[in-house]
Amino acid sequence: MGSISRKDFLRLSALMAGAAAVPRTIRASAGTLALPAMPQRGAGIEADLIVINARVLTSDPARPRAQAFAVREGRFLAVGSNADIRNLASRRTRVIDAARMTVVPGFIDTHNHPRGVTELFDVDANLRSIGALKAAIAKKAATTPPGFWVDAYMFDDTKLTDGRPLHRRDLDEVAPNHPVGVHHRGGHTGWYNSQAFALAGITKDSPDPTGGRFFRDPDGTPNGWVAELATDVFDTVGKRDVFTPEQERDRSRRGMAHISALYTASGLTTVHDLSAGVDNIRAYEDVRAAGELRHRAYLMIRGKAFPLLRDAGVRTGFGDEWVRVGGVKYAADGSASERTMRMSTPFVGTSDYGILTMTQQEIHDAVDDAHSKGWQVGIHANGDVTIDMVLTAYERALAQWPLADRRHRIEHCSLVNPSLIARIAKTGSIPTPFWTYVYYHGEKWERYGDEKMQSMFAHKSFLDAGIKVPGASDYGPGPFEPLMALQSMVTRRDFRGHVWGANQRVTVDQALMIATQHGAYASYEEQLKGSITAGKLADFVLLEKDPHDVDPNTIKDIRVVRTVTGGKTVFPKGEA
């Protein structure tokens, strides 16, 4: 157990105890469930809910379109015509007349970082000018004792309108007596002031650590921008607010309830949590117990929670249909949005190839340990160099411990080539490329160039290779709204109108499959969710318009009218 305390072990064991009766490993076979025969009136089967007069886009190849469906005890009971479904209604059945609006399966985001704490309690750095950022930091510093950290989150350097980058001197001007950290929404870089550098002992003579970088002025002095593992030097210096265990637990519960409401308002009904540690697991349980968990969660475990669960004999699939243990998560290179991912060719106009954060041996060790003990593995690998390293480890582990249908994941899998795609298909690996990035982060792709972008976020190439590629926002780094994702994948057009990699465009129907059924496949749950099919969980979204019928460049503006999880309306709040 190493440094894991008995207290931590008992706490995590207690959190997972509620799922003890559930089979520990899902072994879902490929394909969709056969549609059961339509129940008949008088058969003693009554629906709790029916939805009629809808344009139902089922994501089920056996019945791609329908008019109506019925729900009983949280699952789809039947899918068919208005007349068929009306036969299943009784006086107690709730009826939703969709008035020809569109219904789709609940959207699934397979790479997200839900917590909600920073959104509720910390300085919001999602601002568009250095002046506005300085004002927000100054306001926080005014109520923070000297020597204590002032942290701001969700900063995005390329969204600034000042025409120059943020510098440590900007932070010194408004908080000279506090260490300051301004954290990029991508989570891989930050900007720090002079006091923070002084506390960490970093000077112009300090070398860059392995797997990290201090960006510098021409004379070698750090300019404030710090990347990847180099940010670790600030973790143990200075003073930070300290909360009691009860306060931490309350903050986590409130944050998770907040983010769950936001997700379902956008149409998300399942979110894969790629930062699931002990505190996150506890937050899910607390929010669920309070009746505030609106979305389903698939937990990719990080940190000390993994050895706790592994050594307790827990494996991928443990849990229930609301909260389930997925795989274990590692990170092997830098960021796409922060321009630090490790590639075989440099960023445009530079000799910078990006940053690795794991060695090949470290990747081998991590994969061998998890794979041999029945765990799915997900490794963050953006660049083609890193993807090759991850696939090398997966190929080795599968050869040593053969396991059919393991579905190891390559998180982000941003820059690919035909050879890598063929290896992904052969190993049965799951790539999870960004699905809102082309639209939202368009100005960043100039650092990659048009040619390289033809091979980035390659949903179409994956589909052409027979790979069931899902969608992934990576929120906070990218927006989580699934309708923006559909638009981004269909158009490959950024917010300014520039098209990046038109060869990777997909159809609306393909985008919907990526957002639903393929998302379920990434967690071995394609027989449980991901389509409007009799027997599956009744997760669905009512849209004001059909994405097929609108200008593709306006898909993101379609209004989400209702989100339903397990047959219960979770958005709007207060609806039956």
Side-chain angles (χ1 to χ4, degrees):
M1 298 280 285
S3 61
I4 306 302
S5 69
R6 182 174 183 273
K7 178 181 178 181
D8 284 333
F9 179 81
L10 292 174
R11 180 173 64 176
L12 188 56
S13 299
L15 290 174
M16 300 307 298
V22 180
R24 299 172 70 134
T25 304
I26 301 172
R27 270 277 149 280
S29 61
T32 58
L33 294 174
L35 189 70
M38 181 69 63
Q40 300 297 312
R41 179 183 289 274
I45 299 175
E46 297 179 349
D48 299 323
L49 166 70
I50 63 171
V51 177
I52 57 173
N53 296 327
R55 302 175 70 176
V56 185
L57 311 179
T58 67
S59 291
D60 182 350
R63 187 193 290 267
R65 303 288 188 270
Q67 291 181 313
F69 56 85
V71 174
R72 179 180 173 87
E73 296 180 352
R75 294 183 180 247
F76 294 114
L77 174 64
V79 183
S81 68
N82 287 325
D84 289 334
I85 299 305
R86 286 185 185 277
N87 283 336
L88 301 175
S90 68
R91 284 184 293 181
R92 70 172 189 85
T93 300
R94 175 170 168 76
V95 179
I96 296 177
D97 187 334
R100 296 294 297 157
M101 288 189 286
T102 296
V103 179
V104 297
F107 294 118
I108 299 172
D109 184 344
T110 64
H111 190 119
N112 198 300
H113 300 273
R115 192 152 183 259
V117 174
T118 58
E119 290 90 333
L120 287 182
F121 300 111
D122 294 315
V123 177
D124 181 8
N126 188 18
L127 303 167
R128 296 298 176 259
S129 72
I130 293 173
L133 177 63
K134 290 168 68 174
I137 291 170
K139 181 179 179 180
K140 179 67 174 178
T143 60
T144 302
F148 278 73
W149 277 90
V150 173
D151 287 297
Y153 295 88
M154 297 294 282
F155 177 64
D156 193 333
D157 61 315
T158 65
K159 302 294 185 186
L160 293 176
T161 59
D162 300 85
R164 69 171 180 87
L166 182 66
H167 195 279
R168 62 178 170 81
R169 288 189 296 268
D170 296 310
L171 307 179
D172 293 343
E173 290 172 7
V174 293
N177 300 314
H178 302 79
V180 176
V182 176
H183 306 278
H184 197 284
R185 66 179 297 158
H188 289 249
T189 61
W191 282 255
Y192 299 85
N193 70 346
S194 296
Q195 180 153 155
F197 279 102
L199 288 169
I202 302 300
T203 70
K204 64 187 299 183
D205 298 319
S206 300
D208 290 343
T210 300
R213 187 177 303 166
F214 299 111
F215 293 90
R216 303 170 189 269
D217 290 331
D219 68 354
T221 302
N223 63 20
W225 185 19
V226 182
E228 305 300 338
L229 301 184
T231 62
D232 292 351
V233 301
F234 302 106
D235 290 347
T236 57
V237 300
K239 301 175 183 177
R240 299 182 186 274
D241 290 336
V242 177
F243 301 99
T244 67
E246 292 77 15
Q247 289 172 326
E248 287 281 14
R249 185 166 185 168
D250 181 65
R251 283 162 57 92
S252 294
R253 182 195 62 76
R254 291 167 64 188
M256 189 63 72
H258 172 73
I259 203 71
S260 187
L262 293 180
Y263 288 159
T264 51
S266 76
L268 289 170
T269 56
T270 294
V271 172
H272 293 198
D273 185 340
L274 273 288
S275 299
V278 173
D279 290 342
N280 285 54
I281 296 172
R282 181 175 57 194
Y284 283 111
E285 293 298 320
D286 287 347
V287 172
R288 186 176 179 181
E292 298 173 313
L293 183 62
R294 300 170 183 270
H295 72 280
R296 305 182 193 277
Y298 185 73
L299 310 183
M300 297 292 287
I301 306 299
R302 294 200 76 174
K304 65 182 180 181
F306 173 59
L308 285 170
L309 292 168
R310 178 200 63 199
D311 294 348
V314 172
R315 296 175 296 186
T316 295
F318 183 85
D320 64 15
E321 60 198 36
W322 279 96
V323 181
R324 192 181 304 281
V325 172
V328 58
K329 160 77 182 304
Y330 294 96
D333 75 347
S335 161
S337 64
E338 295 162 271
R339 294 85 66 206
T340 57
M341 66 189 232
R342 182 66 168 90
M343 303 180 293
S344 60
T345 55
F347 292 93
V348 171
T350 77
S351 59
D352 181 5
Y353 291 78
I355 299 172
L356 285 172
T357 57
M358 293 178 76
T359 66
Q360 183 68 71
Q361 189 57 54
E362 288 171 335
I363 295 172
H364 279 317
D365 291 344
V367 171
D368 289 352
D369 175 41
H371 175 83
S372 65
K373 295 177 177 62
W375 280 74
Q376 183 186 42
V377 182
I379 300 183
H380 163 124
N382 271 301
D384 55 342
V385 168
T386 325
I387 295 167
D388 170 76
M389 294 168 68
V390 170
L391 283 168
T392 297
Y394 289 169
E395 290 161 345
R396 189 179 90 150
L398 287 165
Q400 187 166 353
W401 299 281
L403 183 58
D405 204 26
R406 179 64 281 175
R407 304 186 198 180
H408 289 316
R409 299 165 46 136
I410 305 173
E411 306 301 334
H412 311 319
C413 201
S414 293
L415 176 61
V416 294
N417 56 51
S419 175
L420 293 174
I421 292 172
R423 293 168 65 192
I424 290 168
K426 185 175 181 180
T427 56
S429 300
I430 306 291
T432 63
F434 303 109
W435 65 351
T436 57
Y437 266 36
V438 170
Y439 174 80
Y440 184 81
H441 283 308
E443 77 283 353
K444 297 175 175 64
W445 312 136
E446 295 166 3
R447 291 289 304 276
Y448 296 85
D450 284 290
E451 182 178 357
K452 192 171 286 183
M453 283 297 294
Q454 294 178 20
S455 301
M456 290 182 65
F457 323 135
H459 294 93
K460 181 63 162 59
S461 293
F462 290 129
L463 292 177
D464 289 346
I467 296 166
K468 295 178 180 176
V469 57
S473 71
D474 197 30
Y475 179 80
F480 56 74
E481 289 80 1
L483 288 166
M484 181 191 293
L486 298 186
Q487 176 177 316
S488 188
M489 291 187 291
V490 168
T491 67
R492 296 287 293 197
R493 180 179 175 181
D494 71 22
F495 66 95
R496 306 167 304 175
H498 187 94
V499 174
W500 298 100
N503 61 306
Q504 295 297 342
R505 285 171 170 157
V506 301
T507 68
V508 170
D509 284 334
Q510 288 172 326
L512 286 169
M513 285 295 290
I514 288 167
T516 57
Q517 188 69 356
H518 289 186
Y521 184 84
S523 58
Y524 309 95
E525 295 177 301
E526 69 270 27
Q527 293 192 13
L528 185 66
K529 63 176 72 167
S531 67
I532 298 177
T533 302
K536 290 191 178 184
L537 296 170
D539 300 347
F540 63 90
V541 182
L542 180 63
L543 302 177
E544 187 175 35
K545 297 178 181 179
D546 187 336
H548 295 87
D549 293 346
V550 303
D551 178 341
N553 295 302
T554 65
I555 292 174
K556 69 178 179 61
D557 301 321
I558 295 173
R559 183 169 67 94
V560 175
V561 176
R562 182 187 296 262
T563 304
V564 175
T565 308
K568 304 295 184 183
T569 296
V570 291
F571 172 81
K573 187 176 181 181
E575 290 282 334

